[in-house]
Amino acid sequence: MVLPETDTLNAKRIAVRLQEELQSVRTKHGGAFETTVHNYPDDAQSSHELEDIVKSVLPAKDDYGVAAPMPAQPKRKMGNL
């Protein structure tokens, strides 16, 4: 989540609140969530550096999960043109 114009202290407060709210989801579905706070210019000197930090904490593309199967499409009958 990107929070423009948010300082580190308030971003950490939001992260704690988000973790608290996601606790019920974690309990119900057994999922795992991790929040980290990175701030410009405290943690990165450029937007590219901040983007690299974000990419470093993302799971590998293979970890995104299996795509949901697509439902079969009904066959259309072709009429006379």
Side-chain angles (χ1 to χ4, degrees):
M1 175 183 325
V2 176
L3 304 169
E5 309 275 335
T6 306
D7 62 15
T8 302
L9 178 61
N10 285 317
K12 287 182 180 182
R13 288 178 178 156
I14 293 168
V16 168
R17 177 81 188 270
L18 184 60
Q19 283 283 14
E20 291 170 353
E21 294 297 323
L22 289 173
Q23 183 62 38
S24 63
V25 174
R26 183 182 302 134
T27 302
K28 184 176 181 179
H29 299 287
F33 302 96
E34 181 181 343
T35 59
T36 59
V37 173
H38 301 282
N39 185 285
Y40 170 84
D42 297 341
D43 301 312
Q45 301 307 309
S46 69
S47 61
H48 295 290
E49 193 175 336
L50 191 57
E51 183 178 1
D52 289 342
I53 291 170
V54 170
K55 286 179 181 178
S56 74
V57 297
L58 290 176
K61 269 200 173 226
D62 294 346
D63 294 342
Y64 289 158
V66 178
M70 296 293 293
Q73 297 292 324
K75 293 182 180 180
R76 289 193 257 174
K77 294 182 181 180
M78 298 295 286
N80 293 337
L81 297 176

